[in-house]
Structure formats: structure tokens, C-alpha cells
């Protein structure tokens, strides 16, 4: 670990936390709902994800057994508002059938795997990419892996740490190499970055005067 970078990263974290407080991320009632949200949230606003989750709840399908037994066309209809709904319905089905067949439907059993074994397993499933897998590992399995995303690239790019096209792996390594591996810290840090990225560090017109990072930002 680079002590200077660790201090800088913790200062950035402290500035964000001081302004926003805990973000209580991930917004879900249980681990399975968290996973469904992580699968549905790609390329769509969170508002649409919550609508889809409410639809699944209303039909008593928000469970591993529920998704496994659901008719695929009905599932597609219930999550239609999340875009790419056919692929997403298939992703939900594949994930749930996998947990059902290998772990008798128990997420707890699945989460007993070592962090990197679990990551390999998740990445082997249809439609689960690095960001989704890492969200599941951090927020549902509660194991310390740092989640990065487009907000991380933009905010830390403007802070002077990343190139515009910095890869997922490079960004993740940067945080993992220079922060203590602590699940609570990684949980809140990612949530804080997404808070700054969505509220202040907007694509075309960032709201720098209000941003908690304005004093240290390179822009
Ligand atoms: S000061 Fe401006 S450019 Fe820098 S992180 Fe904040 S919003 Fe983004």
C-alpha cells in the first residue's frame, strides 16, 4: 500500500462523507432483492428498477423459487420498464436456476465460497459482468471487494487519478491496493462516489461550487 495514496483516498472519502453522511447503500430489503436490483440496474435509472421490483413483489415472484418457476414471458412483462428486459429476464432466470440447482436455493451457502471463487462463479453465469458480480459480492455476500463504475471513472478522472478510458480492472486495483480491505469502508466509499457522481459531478456541467471535493479537484 502507498501510504501517501492511502491518506489522499481517505481524505477524499472523509470530505464526501462529511457532506452527505452515510448513504445506507444498497437500497434493498434483503440480499435477494439487492441481487435483482444489481442485475436490473444496467443501462436504466434506479426509479425504473424499483418499479420492476415492486411488480415482482406484487406477483409474489421476488424470490429464487418465484423466478425459477415464473413463465419467462410474464417475467419479461413485469420488468419491461428496465430496458433490455428480455436479456435481463434471462439473466434473472439463469442466476436463480444456478443457485437452486447448486445450493438448493440458499444464497448463504453460495456466499460461503471464498471471495475470488465466488467472483469466478458469478462471472461464469450468463449476463453477469464484473460490476454486477462485484456489487453482489460486496453488498449481498458482504465480502471486501471494491466496486467501480462510470461515476468512479468520471469523478476520479477529474480528480486527476484516471484516464477517460481507464479500465475497470485498473480502477479496481488502484483502490484495492491503496485502501484497507474493509467491507464497510468499501461499501460506503462506492456509495459516496456514486452520490458525488450523480449529484455534482455531472457529465457536461458539473456543479463544482457545491461539490465536497472542490478543494482538491484538478478541474
Ligand atoms: S469539483 Fe467538480 S469536477 Fe471535481 S469532482 Fe466535484 S463536481 Fe466533479
Amino acid at each position: 500500500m502507498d501510504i501517501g495514496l492511502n491518506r489522499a483516498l481517505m481524505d477524499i472519502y472523509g470530505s464526501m462523507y462529511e457532506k452527505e453522511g452515510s448513504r445506507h447503500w444498497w437500497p434493498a430489503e434483503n440480499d435477494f432483492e439487492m441481487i435483482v436490483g444489481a442485475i436490473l440496474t444496467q443501462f436504466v435509472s434506479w426509479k425504473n428498477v424499483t418499479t420492476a421490483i415492486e411488480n415482482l413483489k406484487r406477483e409474489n415472484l421476488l424470490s429464487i423459487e418465484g423466478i425459477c418457476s415464473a413463465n419467462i414471458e410474464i417475467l419479461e412483462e413485469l420488468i419491461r420498464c428496465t430496458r433490455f428486459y428480455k436479456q435481463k429476464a434471462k439473466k434473472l432466470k439463469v442466476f436463480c436456476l444456478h443457485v437452486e440447482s447448486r445450493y438448493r436455493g440458499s444464497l448463504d451457502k453460495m456466499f460461503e465460497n471464498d471471495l475470488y471463487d465466488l467472483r469466478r462463479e458469478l462471472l461464469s453465469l450468463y449476463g453477469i459482468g464484473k460490476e454486477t458480480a462485484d456489487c453482489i459480492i460486496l453488498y449481498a455476500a458482504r465480502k471486501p471487494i471494491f466496486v467501480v463504475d462510470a461515476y468512479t471513472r468520471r469523478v476520479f478522472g477529474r480528480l486527476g487519478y484516471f484516464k477517460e478510458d481507464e479500465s475497470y480492472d485498473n480502477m479496481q486495483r488502484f483502490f484495492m491496493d491503496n485502501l484497507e480491505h474493509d467491507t464497510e469502508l468499501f461499501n460506503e466509499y462506492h456509495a459516496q462516489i456514486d452520490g458525488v457522481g450523480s449529484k455534482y459531478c455531472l457529465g457536461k456541467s458539473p456543479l463544482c461550487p457545491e461539490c465536497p471535493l472542490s478543494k482538491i479537484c484538478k478541474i
Side-chain angles (χ1 to χ4, degrees):
M1 179 186 298
D2 180 316
I3 299 300
L5 274 177
N6 174 261
R7 283 209 193 104
L9 287 177
M10 290 309 293
D11 283 349
I12 290 167
Y13 175 71
S15 300
M16 295 189 291
Y17 192 93
E18 198 178 320
K19 174 126 183 175
E20 300 295 323
S22 174
R23 299 201 70 227
H24 305 291
W25 209 246
W26 185 287
E29 285 178 12
N30 55 52
D31 293 342
F32 184 66
E33 185 175 319
M34 182 275 138
I35 292 167
V36 171
I39 291 173
L40 296 183
T41 197
Q42 295 161 48
F43 314 113
V44 74
S45 73
W46 186 252
K47 189 166 164 279
N48 291 35
V49 174
T50 55
T51 301
I53 286 176
E54 287 309 314
N55 290 345
L56 292 169
K57 277 185 187 166
R58 193 188 61 240
E59 299 300 321
N60 282 325
L61 291 178
L62 192 63
S63 63
I64 289 174
E65 319 82 74
I67 302 270
C68 283
S69 60
N71 174 291
I72 190 75
E73 281 87 20
I74 290 175
L75 195 53
E76 288 169 1
E77 209 44 51
L78 293 170
I79 66 163
R80 180 184 272 268
C81 56
T82 63
R83 299 178 75 205
F84 307 109
Y85 60 93
K86 283 182 185 284
Q87 291 102 312
K88 288 180 179 178
K90 185 176 168 190
K91 289 178 195 181
L92 289 177
K93 270 272 184 200
V94 167
F95 177 83
C96 292
L97 288 169
H98 175 78
V99 178
E100 185 61 40
S101 67
R102 187 178 285 194
Y103 301 101
R104 295 188 184 173
S106 169
L107 287 174
D108 289 343
K109 270 267 162 242
M110 185 186 205
F111 294 161
E112 283 174 8
N113 284 308
D114 159 83
L115 189 158
Y116 288 99
D117 288 342
L118 177 59
R119 191 171 197 260
R120 266 190 293 279
E121 185 175 330
L122 289 168
L123 289 174
S124 74
L125 299 177
Y126 169 79
I128 304 278
K130 291 175 183 174
E131 186 183 334
T132 307
D134 291 340
C135 283
I136 293 171
I137 294 167
L138 179 63
Y139 290 103
R142 296 174 188 81
K143 295 179 192 285
I145 194 155
F146 203 95
V147 180
V148 295
D149 58 11
Y151 288 136
T152 317
R153 187 177 289 108
R154 187 195 297 155
V155 173
F156 275 77
R158 287 171 173 173
L159 289 174
Y161 291 101
F162 296 148
K163 304 189 298 269
E164 257 177 47
D165 61 348
E166 199 73 59
S167 72
Y168 187 97
D169 292 346
N170 280 350
M171 292 193 291
Q172 184 175 58
R173 201 173 306 117
F174 173 75
F175 289 101
M176 297 287 286
D177 284 352
N178 294 299
L179 287 172
E180 190 187 334
H181 288 200
D182 178 293
T183 303
E184 288 308 311
L185 174 65
F186 285 1
N187 172 326
E188 191 64 45
Y189 209 131
H190 171 70
Q192 291 292 337
I193 294 171
D194 277 14
V196 167
S198 58
K199 281 170 82 175
Y200 309 108
C201 201
L202 309 179
K204 286 192 181 135
S205 314
L207 307 173
C208 301
E210 296 155 51
C211 175
L213 303 178
S214 57
K215 289 202 178 86
I216 38 181
C217 191
K218 298 272 193 290
I219 265 206

